[in-house]
Amino acid sequence: MTRIYPQFVVAKFGGTSVADFDAMNRSASIVLADPNVRLVVLSASAGVTNLLVELSEGLESPQQLDKLETLRTIQYNIISRLRQPSVISAEIDNLLDNIGQLAHTAMTSPSTAISDELVSHGELISSLLFAEVLRERQVESSWFDARSVMRTDSNYGCAEPDVNALAELAELHLRPRIEQAVMVTQGFIGRDSAGHTTTLGRGGSDYTASLLGEALHAARVDIWTDVAGIYTTDPRITPTAKRIDNISFSEASDMAAYGAKVLHPATLMPAMRKNIPVFVGSSKDTAAGGTLVCCTTENPPRYRAVAVRRKQTLLRLQGLDSEPTHRFLAQIFAILAQHSVAVDLITTSENSIALALDSTHATSGDDGALTSALFTALSSHCRVEAETGLALITLVGNQLTHAAGVCQDVFARLEEHAVRMICHGASNNTLCFLLPGDVADGAVKALHHRLFE
């Protein structure tokens, strides 16, 4: 008899949670422990996406063969621990062969479409292996190709999902199957209208889990990673960081947008639209608890967290003549729009603009925003100065623009640092500033010590 699951859970497991056979077994135990988990979304095994990105950049033959062998070793270290490895080995071999062929194509005829097709294989392989691990644990499970429901545009490397198409296709093709078995699928990947594989950008598996939870009206989305929740800052920078047990969607969204790597920046938007709670916990230590992200929390604090985001670029644009400010600004933003440049932060003076650009989310490691064509277009209207290697530090809180003493609290401990840019006031709940990347960790430690310890 088919059991009906009106209140089911989507469980997403990150790269460290499926890094090897033992990690996959721990994650399988999490699925077994909660009968409401009916949909499992997986990242590629830890390290695999980086290898695939390198292959997509057109490595020469000796380096290419070395990366391919490393990939094969990662997968076969898992396959060799299965009780019946022959059940899955041929299928994995086919995917590894595909990777080799695509890597050769990338070497001779690179393209963003080839890159996405190649990089998608990490999730395809990890999900096939995890489905087999579940079957060997006697879980009624089935593998599902996320591309059959995840429709996106053709912005390879950072594709945007079609939420309406996803809802329709998921209801048609996925909903009936989660009633029959635990479905194992891939995060991060989709398919455009022409049938080409796309990717949602680095960390996009979290986003996939939230989108599928929204499309299927899940009761909760669980994000299993290598840390036991969301902390007041990155514990790898500041070991005294404190876990936040409950946090609002808006606070967590700000933290993710400004660099807290525990969640992909877009993850919470679908959950917010349907008011679906999101739990973040560690697959290595489920007893440690985690963080529940929900609509509101009681007595939210003035200061919630400090986030840091690296690989930032500061553009300074100085007008060439004395044309009116409004005309200069209009020209600059028209050029940025023509080149599809998403500006992160802005400050202006009478005839100059400072812009902060982020390059951390696309699958490719390059900063596609800073093209020669963009520089040429901007240079016809202004002098352009670019400074790279910066870090954006953001204080996330509540009603910061209405609280006295915030700037004193923040900058009193940063007097030794040359702050490149400050943005405060556009949001009630954040204060952002740019610093040289090599001093970012020290600044985060000092700020966290003053505000949270």
Side-chain angles (χ1 to χ4, degrees), residues 348-362:
T348 66
S349 63
E350 184 176 357
N351 201 31
S352 64
I353 309 173
L355 308 171
L357 307 180
D358 175 37
S359 58
T360 58
H361 300 313

Side-chain angles (χ1 to χ4, degrees), residues 100-359:
Q101 293 169 14
L102 289 165
H104 181 74
T105 301
M107 183 174 62
T108 57
S109 305
S111 71
T112 53
I114 290 294
S115 176
D116 272 15
E117 180 71 34
L118 198 161
V119 174
S120 72
H121 281 64
E123 278 70 20
L124 294 172
I125 291 174
S126 67
S127 57
L128 282 165
L129 290 172
F130 189 73
E132 190 59 32
V133 169
L134 284 178
R135 281 193 287 269
E136 290 198 350
R137 296 282 299 270
Q138 307 303 311
V139 178
E140 189 71 28
S141 61
S142 182
W143 184 84
F144 184 83
D145 191 336
R147 294 171 298 182
S148 62
V149 298
M150 186 64 70
R151 290 290 178 269
T152 74
D153 62 17
S154 300
N155 183 25
Y156 300 110
C158 202
E160 186 63 32
D162 182 336
V163 175
N164 293 328
L166 170 61
E168 183 178 337
L169 291 168
E171 196 65 38
L172 181 64
H173 299 295
L174 195 48
R175 164 88 58 192
R177 299 187 65 179
I178 64 174
E179 309 290 354
Q180 306 294 328
V182 174
M183 302 306 298
V184 179
T185 193
Q186 310 79 39
F188 180 59
I189 68 175
R191 181 176 286 149
D192 66 13
S193 58
H196 299 138
T197 297
T198 58
T199 64
L200 307 184
R202 286 300 191 119
S205 294
D206 291 350
Y207 191 23
T208 298
S210 186
L211 285 164
L212 289 171
E214 175 190 31
L216 295 169
H217 307 281
R220 195 178 71 243
V221 174
D222 291 346
I223 306 292
W224 295 101
T225 180
D226 56 355
V227 292
I230 300 173
Y231 285 73
T232 49
T233 196
D234 188 339
R236 291 167 295 188
I237 298 175
T238 305
T240 52
K242 301 173 174 62
R243 190 180 69 212
I244 304 166
D245 292 333
N246 293 278
I247 189 171
S248 70
F249 281 130
S250 61
E251 291 170 317
S253 181
D254 281 337
M255 289 181 65
Y258 288 108
K261 294 182 179 180
V262 71
L263 288 175
H264 181 278
T267 297
L268 295 173
M269 290 189 293
M272 289 170 68
R273 289 193 291 258
K274 291 289 176 66
N275 195 20
I276 301 170
V278 176
F279 175 79
V280 181
S282 170
S283 63
K284 296 179 180 178
D285 185 10
T286 56
T291 298
L292 185 68
V293 187
C294 48
C295 187
T296 59
T297 60
E298 292 185 7
N299 303 315
R302 174 184 293 183
Y303 302 132
R304 178 62 90 179
V306 179
V308 60
R309 194 171 68 193
R310 306 179 197 278
K311 294 177 63 178
Q312 305 300 291
T313 298
L314 177 62
L315 283 185
R316 293 189 186 89
L317 311 177
Q318 178 70 46
L320 297 176
D321 51 40
S322 57
E323 67 179 333
T325 302
H326 67 275
R327 186 176 300 164
F328 173 65
L329 293 174
Q331 290 169 340
I332 296 303
F333 285 104
I335 292 170
L336 294 172
Q338 289 166 7
H339 291 263
S340 300
V341 176
V343 177
D344 211 27
L345 302 173
I346 305 169
T347 60
T348 66
S349 63
E350 184 176 357
N351 201 31
S352 64
I353 309 173
L355 308 171
L357 307 180
D358 175 37
S359 58

